[in-house]
Amino acid sequence: MELGRTELKPLSKLDSEEYRKRKVQEVWKKNGLATLGFCLIAGAIMIGMMIVAVDRSKMILAGVFYGGVLMIGVGAYIFLWLCALRNVKNKKYDAVYEGVAQVVVAYPLTVQYLKPDGNKVVSQADLKDQHAILAGRFIKIVVEDERVVEIKDEVTI
């Protein structure tokens, strides 16, 4: 490869266990932050409402009510967290590949890449957090079961 020039190369297969570990870490990070955010917001509301309660009997009633709501919410977040972990651990990651792709259309993000057998594929990435990438740029992608699931970063030349 010449300096200043990037070309498409066939995708390379990822180790399924390493990819599974990476997905588990993403679930822990995402759900841990969501649970922590809920606890902080609900806890602040609970403390604020208990401060507003003037009477001691109202303060106890508010504490029991908001404490119960906090526990139910935390339980729901932890249940969803465990379900996501179970889904990641039980899913089969047989066809996971990574490599370089070229952006064909900026929005919706459409990329072209070479499959491991050398065939060219044009695929639209259905990512939630798409950011603007100019057409013609080369990016690193992760493909899972013929679907672009992750854009790592842009390739610097």
Side-chain angles (χ1 to χ4, degrees):
M1 183 169 71
E2 298 174 14
L3 184 64
R5 183 147 194 238
T6 304
E7 57 190 40
L8 292 178
K9 294 179 183 159
L11 299 178
S12 59
K13 187 168 178 72
L14 281 175
D15 180 37
S16 61
E17 287 307 311
E18 290 296 321
Y19 186 70
R20 183 183 317 279
K21 287 178 185 175
R22 191 166 74 196
K23 293 293 271 188
V24 166
Q25 287 176 347
E26 289 175 9
V27 167
W28 271 90
K29 182 179 177 182
K30 176 183 162 192
N31 288 318
L33 290 174
T35 304
L36 178 65
F38 174 79
C39 289
L40 291 175
I41 292 171
I45 291 172
M46 182 175 113
I47 291 170
M49 294 308 273
M50 288 180 66
I51 290 172
V52 170
V54 178
D55 197 359
R56 178 117 174 119
S57 64
K58 289 181 183 177
M59 187 180 297
I60 292 172
L61 183 63
V64 168
F65 176 73
Y66 287 112
V69 169
L70 178 68
M71 290 301 121
I72 291 171
V74 169
Y77 270 97
I78 290 174
F79 174 73
L80 293 173
W81 190 345
L82 293 175
C83 288
L85 273 177
R86 186 183 69 230
N87 289 342
V88 167
K89 289 180 179 178
N90 292 336
K91 188 172 181 182
K92 297 212 181 293
Y93 294 108
D94 295 333
V96 180
Y97 300 93
E98 74 175 344
V100 177
Q102 185 177 22
V103 177
V104 178
V105 178
Y107 190 81
L109 187 61
T110 305
V111 296
Q112 68 179 358
Y113 59 90
L114 295 177
K115 289 172 48 172
D117 59 3
N119 293 332
K120 187 179 282 190
V121 176
V122 177
S123 176
Q124 184 173 340
D126 56 344
L127 303 174
K128 295 175 187 160
D129 55 344
Q130 286 186 14
H131 54 282
I133 301 174
L134 297 175
R137 297 290 305 221
F138 289 90
I139 56 175
K140 292 182 182 177
I141 61 169
V142 175
V143 177
E144 183 180 314
D145 296 326
E146 302 289 327
R147 239 176 23 114
V148 178
V149 293
E150 183 180 333
I151 295 176
K152 288 186 170 183
D153 57 358
E154 293 185 26
V155 176
T156 56
I157 54 173

